[in-house]
Amino acid sequence: MHGDSPLLPESYQAIHLLGKYLEDVSFTKIYSSTLQRAKDTAQGIENELKQSTEIIYDPNLREIGFGKIEGHNFDHLAHDYKEQMYDLRHQLDQYDP
């Protein structure tokens, strides 16, 4: 399970500024995960580039799924999922969502 929370309103301004900063860079391709917020970010940056650039959407670029802890705040997680949070932060190979 992967969360796909929407971008924050202030994120759109940051994306615009990053796109403007990169506008003269000639990219061969842009790679993005298939999560909507990643697609929105890639498209927002591409919109600012002077040269049109193909965006490749790849589900293999998605971040780790957090399973049953997805969407909870860290205070709740630290209290109710101590072992999972320890594994996530200190021994990722042992983390089992």
Side-chain angles (χ1 to χ4, degrees):
M1 173 178 163
H2 293 278
D4 193 8
S5 57
L7 291 170
L8 299 171
E10 57 268 24
S11 298
Y12 290 96
Q13 178 62 20
I15 292 165
H16 170 75
L17 292 173
L18 178 58
K20 284 305 218 184
Y21 179 79
L22 297 171
E23 70 182 351
D24 292 319
V25 177
S26 178
F27 291 98
T28 304
K29 305 237 189 276
I30 296 172
Y31 292 88
S32 169
S33 87
T34 54
L35 294 176
Q36 189 59 51
R37 66 177 177 268
K39 289 179 177 181
D40 292 345
T41 300
Q43 188 61 59
I45 293 168
E46 198 279 336
N47 288 344
E48 301 300 330
L49 301 178
K50 290 183 178 175
Q51 176 182 325
S52 182
T53 306
E54 179 184 10
I55 302 174
I56 305 294
Y57 299 106
D58 186 338
N60 293 313
L61 295 175
R62 287 179 163 216
E63 67 264 13
I64 187 172
F66 291 105
K68 62 186 172 185
I69 68 171
E70 188 81 51
H72 293 280
N73 69 43
F74 282 105
D75 290 336
H76 170 77
L77 296 174
H79 182 266
D80 291 351
Y81 297 98
K82 290 179 185 174
E83 184 179 329
Q84 290 91 340
M85 291 304 293
Y86 180 85
D87 290 346
L88 179 63
R89 291 182 174 195
H90 302 287
Q91 48 191 32
L92 190 55
D93 62 319
Q94 299 296 312
Y95 177 68
D96 183 14

